[in-house]
Amino acid sequence: MMLENVLQGLTAGLLIGSVYALMCVGLGLIFGVMRVINFAQGEFLMLGMYGTLYAYTWLALGSILGPYVGPIVGALIAGVAVYFFGILLHRYLLVRVTGIRVAGSEGEGHYPQLILTLGLSLILANAGLIFFGSTPENIRTPLSASAWEIGPFAGELSVFLNKARSVAFLVSVAVAVVLFFFITRTRIGKMLRAAADNPEAALYMGIDVERAHRIAFGLGCAITALAGGLVATYYPFQPYVGLEFVIIMYAGVVLGGMGSIGGAFWGGLTIGLVQQLSTLMLPVQLQNTAIFVVFLLIMMLRPEGLFGRNVERA
């Protein structure tokens, strides 16, 4: 029985952790390229949830595409919509407190960035309350309440995989792989990496750093919104749901290593595993406590994170 519980915890941790990892990748992309701590990232997750809900219901994606593909297409539509919303926010708000414009200023513009993104978080959450209401919602599909059974093997040992979480796992891994090749193999990806490594040198080489930051912010928001759409298929949500996940996102990014997109993915996956395995010994209410105990232990042994690097300053 103990072995079965451990295997069940591991599989559940991998399924949930993969979506956490995708959330962390969105936040990690914004910080890695722009060096902006975005307090509104949880609200972009919330917008992705509601965007997926309305795309799924208004466009009747469940009837047209079925319960497997319909929610995924809805999440992709929500991600695209949030991408353009993020582009607009950067164009008219964030560009004034980020990039070359604030280079050399006190704190490199981080103080106004913190206030701006915190204010944006409050505005989006309360606007969501006005437009969407406070009643918890979820995307009801047959997958949420059904599971695949793996086994039995070694006697009566079986592992159950929730179908909605399994589909979310596959999509999360696929998006992460596509993003990896996009960042490493495409011209835009090289532009983003150049702007992240040294924005002033990139500017002298003819790279539009402001455009790179705008694309990075839009992509980071879209990826987190897509993850929110996947979560919405098995988790109830309301306009303030972002606060429940933003702590996990920041913990995953710091755990993986600030500035490392791959580290953010593995950091989020680690948090999912710790969260689910902790329920074998602790009450559900103490899941986040277990996360931060492991987080503090790793920070004590490796302050730069699992995949971060120490930087020597002249």
Side-chain angles (χ1 to χ4, degrees), residues 172-213:
S172 298
V173 172
V175 171
V177 171
V178 170
L179 180 66
F180 171 78
F181 283 106
F182 174 78
I183 294 293
T184 57
R185 302 293 177 87
T186 66
R187 183 179 179 84
I188 295 178
K190 293 176 182 178
M191 179 180 71
L192 295 181
R193 286 187 287 139
D197 290 339
N198 194 324
E200 292 187 9
L203 189 64
Y204 293 143
M205 294 298 294
I207 294 175
D208 189 343
V209 174
E210 184 177 309
R211 177 170 175 260
H213 285 185

Side-chain angles (χ1 to χ4, degrees), residues 33-142:
V33 176
M34 299 177 61
R35 296 297 188 265
V36 171
I37 300 174
N38 183 19
F39 280 119
Q41 198 72 8
E43 278 57 52
F44 292 114
L45 180 87
M46 176 268 293
L47 291 177
M49 290 176 164
Y50 279 102
T52 304
L53 172 66
Y54 290 121
Y56 184 77
T57 53
W58 290 354
L59 300 178
L61 296 178
S63 302
I64 299 172
L65 301 175
Y68 288 91
V69 180
I72 297 173
V73 174
L76 290 173
I77 292 173
V80 171
V82 173
Y83 171 80
F84 288 107
F85 180 58
I87 291 289
L88 291 174
L89 286 177
H90 183 275
R91 173 67 180 82
Y92 294 104
L93 287 177
L94 282 165
V95 71
R96 305 180 186 279
V97 294
T98 60
I100 301 297
R101 187 172 301 192
V102 296
S105 64
E106 184 180 0
E108 298 292 329
H110 290 309
Y111 305 138
Q113 290 166 14
L114 293 174
I115 299 301
L116 178 61
T117 56
L118 180 59
L120 186 60
S121 169
L122 295 173
I123 290 171
L124 290 177
N126 286 282
L129 186 64
I130 293 171
F131 288 105
F132 305 135
S134 59
T135 304
E137 303 277 1
N138 67 339
I139 299 175
R140 298 175 179 86
T141 67

